[in-house]
């Protein structure tokens, strides 16, 4: 009997020793997920609650939109709240079972289109060995929850369409023979101003017995109080330059291309998103970005039906 008592005491001592040795007083929790995307594009998805609402639960089959609010995002009874964005990072609070801890999500750049998303936090363990085991189990469960959240963010940001709200692809311009004209306005040019310039090009093309091969092209550069407007139409043969109209033979280089439907605000947003794409991927523009006016704005007054293709030359 004495032997069994001594053995039990020894086992308990060994148990307590293992608990104290193997489970530190502060349990560090971290999870890292790699993603094929850009650091800056991902950071924009972390820096506000409005962006969180887009990707929260994106990769989770049990996503429930009713659990997504402007400030608190819930996944399996863990409530995440964005506290503040930092430098390529964000501090968030995580609440579960009336306990709240702060965690930091940090974006580490491996290359232009490759990052690691690292989420880190810590839990204080108590001196009580049994509660210490409970805290360790809680840490394991929290780590799994953090991993699911990061996987959802990864699935969202690995699709450029989600980050920029556009489908951007690389391609070539089919038109290399153009006639162009330029004009400076002291006010924002309207549809009639642009199409008056396009009509001048069409008349000149007709006089030179050549055919327009694709929709007209437009570039507007806003400088202070001035608007520099250039329009062009693709044609099927080389012709001479005369007066304000110039013949241009464009090289068939590489372009980043997207298409949008909507009015001037939609087009302007697409141009801004295209510039963000260039900045995020560290791409260099070789020349001006131009728009193909696929829809004839004179014939179609409803701006929601306007289709515009955007071509941004890239090195």
């Amino acid at each position: 009997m004495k032997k069994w008592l001594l053995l039990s005491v020894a086992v308990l001592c060994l148990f307590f020793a293992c608990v104290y040795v193997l489970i530190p007083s502060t349990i560090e929790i971290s999870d890292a997920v790699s993603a094929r995307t850009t650091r800056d594009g991902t950071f924009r998805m972390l820096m506000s609650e409005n962006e969180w609402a887009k990707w929260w639960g994106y990769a989770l089959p049990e996503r429930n939109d009713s659990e997504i609010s402007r400030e608190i995002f819930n996944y399996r009874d863990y409530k995440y709240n964005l506290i503040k964005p930092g430098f390529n990072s964000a501090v968030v609070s995580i609440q579960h079972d009336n306990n709240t801890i702060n965690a930091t999500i940090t974006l580490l750049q491996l290359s232009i289109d490759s990052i690691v998303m690292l989420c880190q936090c810590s839990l204080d363990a108590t001196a009580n060995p049994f509660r210490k085991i409970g805290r360790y189990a809680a840490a394991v469960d929290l780590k799994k929850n953090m991993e699911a959240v990061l996987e959802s963010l990864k699935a969202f940001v690995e699709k450029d369409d989600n980050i920029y709200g556009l489908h951007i692809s690389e391609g070539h311009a089919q038109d290399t023979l153009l006639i162009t004209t330029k004009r400076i306005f002291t006010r924002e040019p309207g549809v009639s101003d642009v199409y008056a310039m396009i009509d001048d090009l069409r008349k000149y093309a007709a006089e030179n017995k050549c055919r327009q091969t694709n929709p007209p092209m437009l570039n507007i550069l806003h400088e202070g109080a001035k608007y520099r407007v250039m329009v062009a139409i693709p044609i099927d043969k080389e012709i001479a330059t005369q007066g304000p109209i110039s013949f241009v033979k464009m090289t068939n280089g590489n372009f980043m291309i997207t298409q949008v439907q909507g009015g001037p605000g939609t087009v302007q947003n697409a141009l801004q998103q295209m510039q963000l794409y260039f900045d995020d991927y560290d791409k260099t523009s070789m020349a001006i970005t131009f728009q193909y006016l696929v829809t004839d704005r004179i014939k179609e007054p409803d701006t929601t039906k306007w289709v515009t293709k955007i071509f941004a030359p890239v090195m």
Side-chain angles (χ1 to χ4, degrees), residues 108-136:
L108 307 174
Q109 180 172 300
L110 302 179
S111 62
I112 288 297
D113 62 350
S114 180
I115 65 170
V116 170
M117 299 180 289
L118 176 65
C119 187
Q120 296 173 298
C121 62
S122 60
L123 283 177
D124 291 330
T126 66
N128 185 308
F130 299 103
R131 293 186 64 186
K132 205 168 192 177
I133 293 173
R135 295 290 277 176
Y136 180 79

Side-chain angles (χ1 to χ4, degrees), residues 123-178:
L123 283 177
D124 291 330
T126 66
N128 185 308
F130 299 103
R131 293 186 64 186
K132 205 168 192 177
I133 293 173
R135 295 290 277 176
Y136 180 79
V140 171
D141 193 53
L142 174 57
K143 178 180 172 66
K144 292 179 180 178
N145 197 275
M146 287 165 40
E147 181 180 5
V149 170
L150 290 184
E151 286 291 345
S152 188
L153 176 59
K154 165 190 167 77
F156 185 87
V157 298
E158 284 193 325
K159 295 183 178 181
D160 285 340
D161 296 24
N162 291 332
I163 294 180
Y164 305 102
L166 304 167
H167 178 67
I168 301 173
S169 60
E170 188 168 358
H172 301 278
Q174 297 177 346
D175 305 302
T176 56
L177 306 180
L178 311 171

